[in-house]
Amino acid sequence: MSIQIFENDEGCYSHQIARGFEYAANNGAVLINNSWGFGPGDYSTDGEFEYWDSVLKNAIDYFEQRASLNSVMDGGLAIFAAGNDTYHTANYPGAYHKYICVSAMAANFYATYYTNYGPGVNISAPGGDQKIHGNAGGVLSTLTNNRYGYMQGTSMACPHVSGVAALGLSYAKKLGKRFSLEEFTSMLLLSTNNIEPTLATNNEIAFKYSGKMGTGHIDALRMLMNVEGVPCVEVTKGSLNMIDLRPYLGDGTLDIVVRDNLDSSTIMSDADKEKLGVSNGPRISSNKLIITCDKAGHGFIEVSCVIGGKEPGSDDTMGGRVSTKRLAIIVRDSHATNGGWM
């Protein structure tokens, strides 16, 4: 649903915004996207926000407590834009520790020139950067009077995260899974790709933004895999990868069993091997996955491991239990080949 809180171009008051949160909670919303916020420095601590804007704070609390998606998640999730002031903290209300606050990255995976960053920012998403990439470097957005146009801002980044959250809830409902609000929020914030390596390629950008763009940039596939409970393994395209699988299977000591004498068809389907352009492997040696993929995309492998011994237990041997785990293989180019979004 779309909820209007602004009155023409003159802004609005907290009690008007509060009515929007109340309406959303009372009419079935469970996620609320907030592509708006106060100015930089209006509040400098969570305590100030709670004290001076209790009307709005109480309304958001009402939404979080009352909203519910039956059988999937109890509570409502509020997602906010960080602000477009190139400021070293996020703007409130998004900066409040209970909400999700989104900064903006450009198509080259750098922070955008305008985004707020630092304390209060939880996650990043595409927001567009027309200063560097021109008009089409923005995000295609809905405009008034039944139009579309390219725009930029954390207001564009925020809906990416809200959309992925909605996708995750829809998938959870399909699978018959149920999460607490805290569980789902954690899954969302960890459904990201690391932005730090890209920042590190530019010393000035790295110094300013490193460690200040949240957990990374949102990834819809990771969200779906987290809902499903399938760990994601990153594979570098075009390179021979040797990946220790034990961290993806648990913290204990495991010995991985490859079935049928290293027959790779039991690890990955032929369809997935063709989709990813697998030119070497997949095979497993010394608990490591060995694989070369020449195409970007994703597929799945199944890995069996012995828990509680070096060999499976049998009539003649004391040993461990064999457990099979499904893992998602993610292969991506380091950047979009067309110079645009991912």
Side-chain angles (χ1 to χ4, degrees):
M1 65 187 73
S2 178
I3 300 173
Q4 181 175 328
I5 58 172
F6 294 114
E7 190 173 344
N8 298 321
D9 295 324
E10 299 176 3
C12 58
Y13 295 99
S14 288
H15 70 272
Q16 294 171 300
I17 307 175
R19 290 178 61 192
F21 280 94
E22 180 184 19
Y23 180 90
N26 292 343
N27 287 274
V30 69
L31 299 169
I32 190 162
N33 179 84
N34 297 274
S35 289
W36 60 274
F38 301 131
D42 281 4
Y43 300 110
S44 57
T45 67
D46 287 3
E48 286 185 9
F49 172 63
E50 290 175 346
Y51 181 81
W52 293 107
D53 216 332
S54 59
V55 170
L56 179 56
K57 169 66 169 50
N58 290 338
I60 303 175
D61 286 348
Y62 176 83
F63 173 81
E64 289 192 327
Q65 294 163 9
R66 182 178 177 89
S68 177
L69 185 60
N70 291 336
S71 76
V72 178
M73 184 177 73
D74 292 326
L77 188 58
I79 303 173
F80 286 85
N84 307 321
D85 311 289
T86 323
Y87 200 63
H88 56 83
T89 67
N91 291 344
Y92 280 88
Y96 189 71
H97 71 277
K98 289 182 63 179
Y99 313 147
I100 291 179
C101 188
V102 186
S103 62
M105 72 171 191
N108 57 7
F109 297 86
Y110 285 146
T112 61
Y113 73 91
Y114 55 78
T115 189
N116 290 358
Y117 55 96
V121 170
N122 305 120
I123 196 168
S124 304
D129 195 326
Q130 294 171 307
K131 180 178 180 180
I132 298 175
H133 302 285
N135 183 57
V139 176
L140 191 62
S141 308
T142 54
L143 305 177
T144 56
N145 300 319
N146 298 315
R147 295 177 299 134
Y148 292 94
Y150 289 101
M151 299 184 71
Q152 65 178 14
T154 55
S155 289
M156 281 70 240
C158 186
H160 280 86
V161 176
S162 299
V164 170
L167 182 66
L169 283 176
S170 176
Y171 193 45
K173 184 174 179 64
K174 177 181 178 180
L175 297 179
K177 294 202 171 188
R178 182 183 183 89
F179 300 101
S180 70
L181 179 60
E182 184 60 35
E183 286 173 334
F184 188 81
T185 300
S186 296
M187 281 197 305
L188 179 64
L189 293 178
L190 295 176
S191 298
T192 57
N193 292 302
N194 189 3
I195 198 173
E196 295 297 317
T198 306
L199 298 179
T201 62
N202 183 305
N203 290 335
E204 181 180 351
I205 290 177
F207 178 79
K208 185 173 183 179
Y209 296 105
S210 180
K212 301 173 183 177
M213 297 288 287
T215 57
H217 58 85
I218 190 69
D219 186 305
L221 174 62
R222 287 184 183 274
M223 181 78 240
L224 295 178
M225 292 299 98
N226 280 335
V227 169
E228 191 173 325
V230 177
C232 295
V233 180
E234 291 188 16
V235 170
T236 302
K237 176 184 166 185
S239 300
L240 176 63
N241 293 263
M242 301 180 66
I243 302 168
D244 189 349
L245 292 178
R246 286 172 294 183
Y248 299 96
L249 301 173
D251 295 330
T253 300
L254 303 172
D255 281 283
I256 297 172
V257 178
V258 183
R259 294 163 291 177
D260 300 336
N261 298 319
L262 302 182
D263 181 357
S264 64
S265 65
T266 65
I267 304 173
M268 177 181 280
S269 71
D270 289 339
D272 278 355
K273 284 190 284 187
E274 182 178 357
K275 181 171 68 172
L276 296 179
V278 175
S279 57
N280 187 356
R283 63 186 187 276
I284 292 175
S285 177
S286 300
N287 294 323
K288 290 183 172 62
L289 170 67
I290 301 172
I291 190 170
T292 303
C293 300
D294 298 323
K295 298 178 183 178
H298 79 278
F300 298 93
I301 62 171
E302 285 192 352
V303 178
S304 295
C305 56
V306 179
I307 303 172
K310 294 290 185 181
E311 299 289 340
S314 67
D315 291 342
D316 303 318
T317 307
M318 179 186 293
R321 179 189 181 108
V322 176
S323 180
T324 300
K325 182 70 174 180
R326 189 169 184 246
L327 305 176
I329 302 297
I330 300 178
V331 187
R332 288 204 177 92
D333 298 313
S334 57
H335 295 288
T337 55
N338 63 357
W341 296 108
M342 291 176 282

